[in-house]
């Protein structure tokens, strides 16, 4: 499965920017707090679904399982790099945000990073397949 690094990065970045804006707007308008530990997975999900749909649209078939695993690893790694760049920029712009992280041992931060990478990898795998399957089902239903 040939995933486009530029396309996935663009979708991931746009969703990463839109999520905090949406959470802030929901909080301001409806007085509801939508932030949570799962919110950071939404860009991975959106990018993986989009890539799965693009593959199905281009080849009119489901990608092979090995291709989906490879694409999921690729997407998880690219997404984590983009997330780390966003975090570095945010910590550089607002140094007070990084103060609580200074007390956490580096080993715990590394373990947390690996756990998030693993979860992102598995989520990308599931949602690449879901995106491709949904596109194929809808395209066959409409013809």
């Amino acid at each position: 499965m040939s995933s486009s690094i530029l396309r996935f990065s663009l979708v991931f970045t746009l969703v990463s920017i839109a999520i905090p804006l949406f959470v802030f707007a929901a909080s301001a308008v409806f007085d509801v707090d939508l932030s949570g530990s799962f919110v950071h997975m939404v860009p991975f999900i959106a990018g993986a679904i989009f890539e799965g749909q693009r593959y199905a649209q281009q080849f009119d078939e489901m990608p092979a399982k090995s291709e989906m695993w490879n694409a999921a690893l690729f997407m998880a790694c690219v997404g984590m790099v983009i997330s780390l760049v966003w975090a570095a920029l945010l910590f550089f712009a607002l140094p007070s945000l990084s103060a609580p992280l200074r007390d956490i041992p580096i080993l715990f931060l590394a373990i947390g990073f690996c756990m998030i990478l693993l979860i992102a990898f598995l989520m990308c795998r599931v949602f690449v397949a879901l995106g491709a399957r949904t596109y194929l089902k809808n395209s066959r239903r409409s013809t």
Side-chain angles (χ1 to χ4, degrees):
M1 180 173 163
S2 60
S3 296
S4 167
I5 189 168
L6 182 61
R7 190 172 51 227
F8 176 80
S9 299
L10 182 64
V11 171
F12 188 92
T13 302
L14 290 175
V15 173
S16 294
I17 292 169
I19 290 293
L21 296 175
F22 178 75
V23 168
F24 176 74
S27 176
V29 174
F30 301 112
D31 196 30
V32 174
D33 184 22
L34 295 177
S35 63
S37 62
F38 195 72
V39 170
H40 68 279
M41 284 294 145
V42 173
F44 289 102
I45 293 169
I49 287 174
F50 188 76
E51 284 298 311
Q53 288 174 343
R54 293 289 296 173
Y55 182 89
Q57 183 181 21
Q58 185 176 0
F59 297 106
D60 198 35
E61 66 181 11
M62 281 292 289
K65 290 183 181 189
S66 62
E67 290 178 325
M68 287 191 280
W69 284 112
N70 290 335
L73 180 61
F74 166 77
M75 287 183 249
C77 290
V78 168
M80 289 301 287
V81 167
I82 293 171
S83 295
L84 288 174
V85 169
W86 278 113
L89 291 174
L90 188 62
F91 290 156
F92 181 74
L94 303 167
S96 63
L97 289 177
S98 65
L101 294 177
R102 291 185 194 130
D103 297 334
I104 301 174
I106 203 78
L107 179 63
F108 289 140
L109 292 175
I111 291 170
F113 175 84
C114 290
M115 288 175 44
I116 292 171
L117 181 63
L118 177 64
I119 292 168
F121 169 61
L122 295 174
M123 298 281 291
C124 286
R125 169 55 177 88
V126 167
F127 284 98
V128 163
L130 183 67
R133 188 175 321 126
T134 302
Y135 178 83
L136 290 172
K137 186 184 285 186
N138 287 341
S139 68
R140 291 181 179 138
R141 185 180 300 159
S142 64
T143 57

